[in-house]
Amino acid sequence: MAMKTKTIPGILLILLCALILSSAPVSARPVSDRYLLHGTDWLAGHGVNVIYPDVGPGNREGYVEITPFCSYAYCYQCIELTIRLYAEKLGYISNNGRWPDTVAIPNDMIDVINQAHEKQKLIKKGALSVSDSEAVKYLPFADLIYTPNGGTTPPRVGDMIIYTYRKPGDHIMVVNRVGGNKVEIVQQNIWTQSRPASPVPVRLLDLFEQSGHYFINNAEGWIHSPRMKELIEPTGDGYFFDAKLGNGTWRWTEDAFTISLERTGAIGMAADIGQESAARLSQTLNNEGAIAVTSEPYIRCALMKAANVAGNDVRFLSNFGLKGLDIRIEFTGDTLRLRPHGGKFDNQWITINNARCGWEGNPI
């Protein structure tokens, strides 16, 4: 856990989620709220609106205090975004029509998950009724999975990252894209230190991997929902045509991007024009909106590495009986896996060592 630091980034200013609410009645503000991102702009088109006030931060303008944005938990901007996303898109709502009232700052969400898991265990043992009031309160969250920073499961698209600025877990954000050594997040309640302050709804965080463990500086951990997969993943394959590589299909999941090439494409990747074709293919896929949950330079780097391997490894050469090639680009860990069709290694996934890429398209 040595990689987890508690520094405050110099370019950002947060209006902390942990501000104490005033008991005074809420009155109309002289500023309005604005939608910096619409739901279709992020999370592969399945997000929710990202809301910032027109002026802020200062004098509590960075705090969303009007309905309907406070429907699902306390109204601090950062947690409001994440809980609204998980309530409206994934159905995480307790019997009170919101999250349990114990949730005041993001770190409290960890306890909700722990309580849900404990209630589920007691029910399975017969020690608690499924209709018990506490069980009813927490069971809607029983399938959520919390991974502490430094765990062996990396953050995935749609995960909520619990983050620390001044006190543990006082900020939270949603993973929008993942690519090698970085995650792109979407958030509310972060502003630049420049005056007038500007909102920062999208930001990159460094992701470190060490012996199969994943770290994000200043993070407490991340929350994953198995329901996210059904929400964001394409229901079928996408298709492309390239003058040099022929026809092919693409598909992405929350873990990886996979491209399938027919024999023409497999031979083309191994030819002298393989590097050029790989770069052109990544641009084509990006233009068609296929690269929705990672970065185009990351995909381009991986495809160029695949072309290099295909041209130099006998397992992927046409005279070895190759009839097609699948290219799986993992978003974290070992970047590249190849599966030849035909030949001795037919239909076997082969991990390519030393073929990792970074978010910017740089080998790492």
Side-chain angles (χ1 to χ4, degrees):
M1 299 296 290
M3 302 183 72
K4 177 181 170 185
T5 64
K6 296 294 181 182
T7 58
I8 301 176
I11 63 169
L12 299 175
L13 175 65
I14 181 171
L15 187 61
L16 293 175
C17 292
L19 289 174
I20 300 175
L21 288 174
S22 169
S23 59
V26 173
S27 58
R29 294 181 302 163
V31 294
S32 60
D33 295 312
R34 51 180 165 163
Y35 294 72
L36 296 189
L37 293 174
H38 289 89
T40 53
D41 296 333
W42 64 289
L43 204 59
H46 299 284
V48 294
N49 295 331
V50 178
I51 307 162
Y52 274 74
D54 281 335
V55 179
N59 298 323
R60 300 184 65 188
E61 293 102 332
Y63 162 59
V64 177
E65 68 269 81
I66 57 174
T67 57
F69 310 129
C70 301
S71 299
Y72 304 113
Y74 289 101
C75 302
Y76 308 120
Q77 271 198 53
C78 63
I79 197 170
E80 188 277 330
L81 170 68
T82 55
I83 285 185
R84 175 160 45 94
L85 171 70
Y86 269 54
E88 295 183 0
K89 295 294 184 175
L90 301 175
Y92 287 101
I93 302 176
S94 187
N95 60 333
N96 60 355
R98 50 193 277 135
W99 276 59
D101 290 333
T102 54
V103 176
I105 65 171
N107 218 39
D108 296 333
M109 298 168 73
I110 301 171
D111 184 63
V112 169
I113 296 171
N114 291 337
Q115 289 279 358
H117 292 174
E118 182 61 28
K119 299 295 186 291
Q120 191 175 55
K121 289 179 183 177
L122 292 174
I123 290 171
K124 289 181 178 179
K125 292 179 180 179
L128 184 68
S129 169
V130 70
S131 59
D132 178 86
S133 60
E134 288 296 289
V136 172
K137 180 194 298 185
Y138 288 104
L139 282 180
F141 310 95
D143 65 343
L144 290 174
I145 302 166
Y146 174 68
T147 299
N149 197 19
T152 56
T153 301
R156 287 167 280 184
V157 175
D159 284 5
M160 297 184 285
I161 296 179
I162 297 178
Y163 198 81
T164 291
Y165 274 89
R166 297 181 183 175
K167 60 183 296 186
D170 55 10
H171 185 56
I172 192 167
M173 52 195 78
V174 182
V175 177
N176 185 41
R177 297 172 186 257
V178 181
N181 59 347
K182 293 186 186 295
V183 295
E184 181 186 81
I185 60 88
V186 170
Q187 62 191 354
Q188 289 180 170
N189 212 34
I190 295 291
W191 303 75
T192 63
Q193 286 188 337
S194 59
R195 298 298 181 186
S198 299
V200 185
V202 180
R203 178 186 171 195
L204 286 175
L205 299 177
D206 291 329
L207 176 64
F208 305 95
E209 187 267 335
Q210 188 176 64
S211 301
H213 294 259
Y214 295 88
F215 302 85
I216 295 175
N217 285 341
N218 298 323
E220 297 299 316
W222 37 91
I223 297 171
H224 176 73
S225 167
R227 306 178 200 177
M228 187 63 69
K229 181 182 180 72
E230 183 177 355
L231 174 68
I232 66 173
E233 289 186 4
T235 56
D237 292 337
Y239 296 88
F240 68 86
F241 172 79
D242 181 86
K244 301 294 184 181
L245 300 178
N247 295 307
T249 64
W250 59 266
R251 188 184 185 96
W252 56 262
T253 66
E254 59 185 5
D255 301 307
F257 190 98
T258 302
I259 297 168
S260 295
L261 300 170
E262 297 176 354
R263 188 172 188 275
T264 299
I267 295 173
M269 288 290 281
D272 292 339
I273 59 169
Q275 297 283 316
E276 174 189 338
S277 296
R280 187 177 60 252
L281 177 56
S282 70
Q283 188 61 56
T284 297
L285 293 171
N286 192 53
N287 292 341
E288 294 180 356
I291 305 177
V293 292
T294 188
S295 75
E296 187 275 330
Y298 182 74
I299 295 295
R300 182 175 67 247
C301 172
L303 286 175
M304 294 180 74
K305 285 183 176 291
N308 183 61
V309 172
N312 293 282
D313 191 320
V314 67
R315 294 174 293 184
F316 309 108
L317 296 179
S318 59
N319 58 8
F320 201 67
L322 189 66
K323 299 177 181 178
L325 181 66
D326 295 336
I327 304 171
R328 180 177 170 90
I329 304 168
E330 305 283 347
F331 296 144
T332 55
D334 291 313
T335 298
L336 189 61
R337 301 177 70 197
L338 301 180
R339 180 170 64 181
H341 295 287
K344 182 179 179 180
F345 298 94
D346 180 44
N347 209 35
Q348 296 182 34
W349 282 112
I350 301 170
T351 298
I352 307 303
N353 296 322
N354 302 316
R356 295 192 178 194
C357 292
W359 175 270
E360 299 88 353
N362 54 304
I364 56 174

